[in-house]
Amino acid sequence: MPGARTTLALALALILCAAAFDAVSLYVPGVALALLAAGALAWVESTTRTVRLERARGPASVVEGDTYVARLLVRKGALPLLGELRDTLLDRPLPVRLGPGARVEPLTVEARFGRRGRHRIGAAKLLVRDPLSLRARELQSDEGGELVVLPRIEPVLAGGGGRAGLGRRGLD
């Protein structure tokens, strides 16, 4: 997908062609593309100045197969936010769309760990972009730390008729 620089280069080429060939009709799309690229650049830069991505500390351990819930907070300014959240706990990016009214938006990410042991929870990343995806910038949260996935412990139930079901009297 073309970026803001490519769009600005195309706008400049159209304006130069309009001036060189005295084609007045090329000024309109050239100026429109330049304004579009400048607007996208201004949108993303001013939005990322006020947006913060924070990761709340989750539990230090979880039993394998259980759900680990990670909480993220997106703090933003007055401008609408359009982007996607990328996290090591997610299978695919999560779209984030916040209107001009909301200032703090809590996001919840749920994950399951199939194998036990230590797992490093990396930083979450928020890709902020304009509606046409001409310009994008990435913001990063703090590291999530380490998570210990404990083995699942299942109770042993005594079945009827087996040796496991025998009490002390059966061993005499």
Side-chain angles (χ1 to χ4, degrees), residues 67-144:
T67 303
Y68 174 76
V69 179
R71 299 198 194 300
L72 298 161
L73 281 177
V74 178
R75 297 183 189 275
K76 69 173 206 61
L79 289 175
L81 174 67
L82 179 66
E84 58 186 28
L85 179 69
R86 297 176 181 187
D87 196 353
T88 55
L89 300 174
L90 292 171
D91 295 335
R92 59 180 176 261
L94 179 71
V96 176
R97 289 176 180 81
L98 302 175
R103 297 292 178 144
V104 177
E105 181 71 21
L107 300 173
T108 303
V109 176
E110 295 181 356
R112 293 181 188 261
F113 295 92
R115 67 179 176 88
R116 59 191 83 151
R118 287 183 186 231
H119 294 270
R120 184 167 177 74
I121 308 295
K125 296 176 183 174
L126 181 65
L127 184 71
V128 178
R129 58 183 165 78
D130 66 290
L132 297 176
S133 297
L134 294 177
R135 175 81 171 132
R137 238 176 122 189
E138 192 173 80
L139 300 173
Q140 200 168 358
S141 73
D142 294 334
E143 293 283 325

Side-chain angles (χ1 to χ4, degrees), residues 36-37 60-62 64 72 88 102 111 115 138 148-149 155 163 165:
L36 186 69
S61 63
V62 67
E64 67 180 323
L72 298 161
T88 55
R115 67 179 176 88
E138 192 173 80
V148 178
V149 179
R163 278 194 76 73

